[in-house]
Amino acid sequence: MSDKTIKPSADATFGDTTVSRGAGGETHQHAGGDVPTLTTNGGIPVADDQNSLKAGERGPTLIEDFHFREKIFHFDHERIPERVVHARGFGVHGTFETYKSLADVTSADIFQRAGEKTDVFVRFSTVAGNKGSADLARDVRGFAVRFYTKEGNWDIVGNNIPVFFIQDAIKFPDLIHAAKQEPDRGFPQAQTAHDNFWDFMSLMPEAMHMAMWIMSDRTIPRSFRFMEGFGVHTFRLVNAEGKSTFVKFHWKPTAGLQSVVWNEALKLNGMDPDFHRRDLWDAIQMGDFPEWELGFQMFDEDFAAKFPFDVLDATKIIPEEEVPVVPVGKMTLNRTVENFFFETEQVAFQTNNIVPGVDFTNDPLLQGRNFSYLDTQLKRLGGPNFTHIPVNAPRCPFGNFQQDGHMAMRNPKGRANYEPNSWGGAAGGPREDPKRGYQSFPEEVSGQKLRVRAELFADHYSQARQFFVSQTGVEQTHIEDAFVFELSKVETPAIRERVVSHLVNIDEGLAQKVADGLGLAALPAAADPARPVIRDLAPSPKLSIVKNGPESFKGRKLGILLADGADAAIVADLEKAAAGVGAQLEFVAPKIGGVTLSDGSTREPKQKVNGGPSVLYDAVAIVLSAEGATLLGKEATAKDFVSDAFAHAKFIAFTAAAKPLLDKAGVEQDQGVVELKPGGAPDFLKACGALRFWAREEKLHAV
Ligand code: HDE
């Protein structure tokens, strides 16, 4: 045994340059100066974090090595259970600013003063996929917002779709079991295109309205930044006099709505499974803060009584054209988390986090959720003290006599830990406040105990039809295609037919197209509706994405395919025009090291062409010299870049010299394919404001 292997490095120092000697005598340099010293959790400075303590150079590791054991012990216990639904999510911080006092309808402190600013934490998520699944799964997106108000945490735990699959919380475990991986095989994950899901759906006519939404482009958003959010249920606002007003919560992105097309989603999942989280991260990091307006759809008992559907039924909307959405404030997301696990993973949203001035209704789905969200935190976060975690703690004064339990970070101070007590004053601890304290709305409740649903809940198709007829032709085609795609993955013919039998009640044209797409011999008979379908509900343009898109290319991303020798003036033009409309811009090139343009200036590409497909961008420009076009004409991924942009109905600009590449990629010129001339960039960026050249799409699909 050599001397140098058994003794710790002789010259180890702390807080300065440290040299530790490995078993073979090699050394490791550590930074010195102000760098903090590595310690154990007990604060003991660590001299060597490279080698475990051994009995001899080639001997066994010693149990005495407290640093090694603590490090491995902690690592072994790093995981907590992922959320049973909404496992994959991304959280960020922001601010909410109240537009004006709403004291006439609610006593909620957050709505008493114009200009009031309230901190928020928001977590966006998918529902069905596991934590490591891909962002562009066809799925509902969670849209959970926590307001840290002066009267406690208020959570609106919503989705990007205003209705839900089921009406009663008792069916939630069945829905989620059916949607997630099939239990015998453990796949497919993050996909609803499988037998169990559609079997369940086809046996639950109440899910048909939601089926239309999930087969629409709402489930493949381009970005979290470009989707709406909804509280889904009807809630109550209650003012200081105790008057109640029904309300539905809406979040509207100021940047307008946008989704991708399905083929693009499939490719994005492979090319960048983190597409949505990266997009939000990048936008916030570059100071392009996404914003949403919170809107209230308010109505009273009279409206509820006259409305043809039950306002307690979460499978129904109230069209905005009937009850307008009143903007009440703006949310700006402006800060990424410092640590993903600490904040995003440990945030514990709860529907029952509600503040004075807001109340629940008897929506049976909401009532069930109020149990579930508290319950689930115990399992995930390991004890009753999850509100001690900073992201879950209120940011207003708070206190009670709850104490102890796992990982208590704070306990009541002093002698009083019960109430009533006679210790008096501050020593007696916190007391109830009948004036400011939460009061439930004293709704009259009576009735027999029954396991039933209210009568109007039985209308399953009318609003599904209304949703379909409110879409543009392009969007209707996407819905038809989505049904055909999903059901083509269903192996049991009877399930496919059963789904189509519901579609017959919604729209015969839709049902026929899906039947044709599946190759069904004949259109199945309509499923027996529990209530007659109301076929003449007025279309609601607010239900369309395309009709509610942005007016400009702001916040969107232009991808420029470049190679050495590309026209510098055109590139500069595009850069200026993109900055002018507030768009992001990225270069894609044959080599990541840099591109030299025609005037000798250089650009730094963000992507190498085989790792930077056009699905990453909202529009593309192909700026190549003749040599560049020849080079990239021999590169399959460059041809894919162009042909995908074309197939996904994107706007494409090109320099004359780049034309051979477009020809090789099979691009047929249309109004969405624009030759770039000097000074032409602003017009191109303006056209890009339409986001897609939809007229092209129908020419590209034959089956
Ligand atoms: Fe959830 N849901 N949910 N849900 N939900 C959870 O809570 C549940 C429902 C929603 O980013 C869980 O902390 C039941 C509707 C979001 O952390 C769990 C029912 C809507 C999130 C749970 C529903 C939602 C969740 C899992 C049927 C839209 C993610 C982990 C009655 C309005 C929150 C957790 C985050 C998460 C239960 C239906 C939205 C198990 C029982 C409807 C956005 O408690």
Side-chain angles (χ1 to χ4, degrees):
M1 198 181 286
S2 78
D3 175 46
K4 73 173 188 249
T5 57
I6 50 169
K7 70 173 198 259
S9 75
D11 51 355
T13 53
F14 304 115
D16 203 346
T17 302
T18 306
V19 180
S20 61
R21 214 177 292 277
E26 74 276 20
T27 58
H28 301 274
Q29 289 287 338
H30 301 284
D34 294 335
V35 176
T37 302
L38 187 81
T39 72
T40 66
N41 284 327
I44 299 148
V46 172
D48 180 348
D49 193 36
Q50 319 301 323
N51 305 292
S52 57
L53 188 65
K54 300 176 195 75
E57 182 178 324
R58 303 179 64 241
T61 302
L62 297 176
I63 208 163
E64 173 192 323
D65 188 348
F66 58 88
H67 169 52
F68 165 76
R69 276 199 297 130
E70 181 197 74
K71 187 174 176 183
I72 295 293
F73 145 82
H74 200 277
F75 171 75
D76 290 346
H77 299 280
E78 275 177 8
R79 290 289 170 274
I80 62 171
E82 65 175 39
R83 290 166 176 81
V84 61
V85 281
H86 296 265
R88 182 169 178 82
F90 195 68
V92 289
H93 296 271
T95 319
F96 177 79
E97 184 166 353
T98 304
Y99 284 157
K100 58 171 189 176
S101 168
L102 299 171
D104 54 333
V105 287
T106 174
S107 62
D109 184 75
I110 177 175
F111 295 119
Q112 300 310 296
R113 296 163 294 277
E116 170 93 6
K117 290 211 170 118
T118 306
D119 288 348
V120 297
F121 186 79
V122 178
R123 185 174 177 272
F124 300 110
S125 48
T126 52
V127 178
N130 299 333
K131 200 165 163 253
S133 55
D135 279 353
L136 262 291
R138 179 179 286 286
D139 199 352
V140 184
R141 297 300 182 288
F143 193 125
V145 181
R146 165 165 300 159
F147 301 86
Y148 297 95
T149 86
K150 292 188 177 129
E151 288 192 340
N153 289 353
W154 176 33
D155 295 352
I156 302 182
V157 196
N159 279 344
N160 76 328
I161 287 179
V163 290
F164 202 63
F165 296 88
I166 50 169
Q167 297 172 325
D168 190 315
I170 199 168
K171 295 311 295 170
F172 193 63
D174 299 291
L175 165 72
I176 299 305
H177 287 178
K180 288 197 119 164
Q181 305 102 294
E182 301 197 359
D184 52 354
R185 59 209 71 186
F187 62 84
Q189 77 144 318
Q191 289 181 54
T192 50
H194 61 111
D195 285 53
N196 276 9
F197 178 72
W198 285 106
D199 187 32
F200 177 80
M201 291 291 282
S202 65
L203 297 169
M204 297 286 290
E206 72 199 59
M208 284 307 126
H209 188 190
M210 185 66 164
M212 300 301 292
W213 283 85
I214 60 169
M215 291 299 102
S216 81
D217 295 343
R218 295 269 174 170
T219 42
I220 40 174
R222 151 69 172 84
S223 159
F224 296 137
R225 299 181 289 139
F226 310 142
M227 56 184 208
E228 286 179 292
F230 302 91
V232 176
H233 315 279
T234 299
F235 290 84
R236 282 178 194 278
L237 299 172
V238 185
N239 71 10
E241 285 77 51
K243 180 171 176 283
S244 146
T245 306
F246 288 127
V247 64
K248 280 189 176 271
F249 301 122
H250 294 247
W251 291 106
K252 288 189 182 287
T254 58
L257 304 186
Q258 186 185 347
S259 284
V260 299
V261 298
W262 179 232
N263 181 267
E264 202 179 359
L266 293 173
K267 290 177 174 160
L268 274 168
N269 280 339
M271 293 310 297
D272 187 3
D274 304 308
F275 187 69
H276 280 156
R277 48 179 66 189
R278 190 190 307 281
D279 170 87
L280 185 55
W281 173 271
D282 285 350
I284 293 179
Q285 295 291 334
M286 67 178 70
D288 184 8
F289 301 140
E291 297 171 337
W292 284 260
E293 277 193 314
L294 176 64
F296 285 178
Q297 231 183 349
M298 292 177 280
F299 54 96
D300 58 15
E301 296 274 1
D302 286 351
F303 173 88
K306 276 189 281 176
F307 191 58
F309 307 100
D310 199 318
V311 299
L312 300 184
D313 173 359
T315 67
K316 305 297 188 298
I317 58 154
I318 298 175
E320 290 184 39
E321 290 77 6
E322 277 183 60
V323 178
V325 175
V326 180
V328 299
K330 188 186 276 181
M331 174 170 80
T332 307
L333 299 182
N334 52 19
R335 187 159 60 87
T336 51
V337 296
E338 278 176 20
N339 183 274
F340 185 87
F341 182 90
F342 194 57
E343 297 165 271
T344 304
E345 201 51 25
Q346 296 199 103
V347 64
F349 288 99
Q350 297 179 73
T351 52
N352 40 297
N353 273 348
I354 206 151
V355 287
V358 188
D359 205 346
F360 311 114
T361 61
N362 297 334
D363 174 339
L365 205 61
L366 178 58
Q367 296 280 321
R369 293 179 74 197
N370 285 342
F371 165 75
S372 183
Y373 289 73
L374 178 60
D375 184 53
T376 200
Q377 312 310 343
L378 200 61
K379 176 81 181 172
R380 269 190 9 91
L381 298 169
N385 288 324
F386 62 87
T387 53
H388 297 199
I389 298 169
V391 72
N392 294 325
R395 297 188 187 167
C396 60
F398 62 96
N400 55 44
F401 298 107
Q402 295 168 29
Q403 66 174 28
D404 303 353
H406 284 292
M407 310 289 168
M409 298 294 143
R410 52 168 194 258
N411 260 0
K413 289 210 175 90
R415 191 169 184 181
N417 62 351
Y418 59 93
E419 194 276 341
N421 64 57
S422 58
W423 298 115
R431 299 294 156 124
E432 301 133 315
D433 182 341
K435 212 160 144 270
R436 258 188 65 204
Y438 189 90
Q439 303 274 6
S440 292
F441 177 71
E443 183 187 2
E444 295 275 350
V445 183
S446 70
Q448 298 173 321
K449 284 188 203 168
L450 298 166
R451 289 187 185 273
V452 291
R453 306 224 179 147
E455 193 187 337
L456 289 180
F457 279 47
D459 185 319
H460 299 140
Y461 302 107
S462 305
Q463 284 203 347
R465 176 178 172 77
Q466 181 181 37
F467 178 77
F468 188 68
V469 300
S470 302
Q471 306 300 310
T472 59
V474 171
E475 291 170 300
Q476 289 186 338
T477 306
H478 289 177
I479 293 171
E480 290 152 11
D481 290 348
F483 270 111
V484 173
F485 178 94
E486 296 262 317
L487 296 175
S488 296
K489 301 274 179 192
V490 168
E491 290 162 2
T492 312
I495 298 176
R496 291 183 218 142
E497 282 195 30
R498 214 184 302 136
V499 175
V500 180
S501 74
H502 291 291
L503 300 184
V504 180
N505 285 325
I506 296 169
D507 183 275
E508 242 183 75
L510 162 71
Q512 189 62 59
K513 289 232 173 76
V514 176
D516 289 347
L518 292 171
L520 296 192
L523 191 63
D528 204 9
R531 283 179 71 87
V533 185
I534 308 170
R535 304 186 69 80
D536 58 357
L537 292 175
S540 164
K542 293 285 184 193
L543 301 180
S544 151
I545 295 172
V546 171
K547 289 179 199 162
N548 295 283
E551 309 274 283
S552 89
F553 203 58
K554 185 171 184 308
R556 273 64 182 182
K557 210 177 205 180
L558 178 67
I560 304 186
L561 184 59
L562 282 182
D564 285 345
D567 188 327
I570 298 259
V571 171
D573 246 15
L574 284 167
E575 286 170 327
K576 202 166 150 223
V581 297
Q584 302 168 26
L585 180 147
E586 253 177 43
F587 296 115
V588 181
K591 295 211 170 105
I592 200 73
V595 179
T596 306
L597 304 184
S598 57
D599 65 353
S601 67
T602 56
R603 293 294 184 280
E604 206 177 302
K606 174 85 179 177
Q607 307 283 356
K608 178 170 159 62
V609 64
N610 63 1
S614 59
V615 290
L616 301 180
Y617 308 108
D618 296 296
V620 298
I622 319 297
V623 185
L624 298 172
S625 62
E627 301 76 56
T630 309
L631 173 73
L632 290 181
K634 293 183 211 142
E635 169 56 42
T637 56
K639 283 181 274 182
D640 287 349
F641 185 97
V642 179
S643 64
D644 271 352
F646 187 70
H648 300 148
K650 288 178 184 166
F651 285 92
I652 303 174
F654 66 100
T655 50
K659 181 83 176 16
L661 179 63
L662 271 66
D663 294 340
K664 283 201 169 169
V667 170
E668 287 169 30
Q669 211 157 331
D670 57 31
Q671 284 161 308
V673 181
V674 184
E675 186 181 329
L676 265 184
K677 303 255 170 60
D683 279 350
F684 174 65
L685 266 297
K686 194 156 178 254
C688 289
L691 301 183
R692 300 291 162 111
F693 182 67
W694 291 121
R696 184 188 305 147
E697 211 185 30
E698 63 189 31
K699 300 193 189 124
L700 296 176
H701 298 289
V703 293

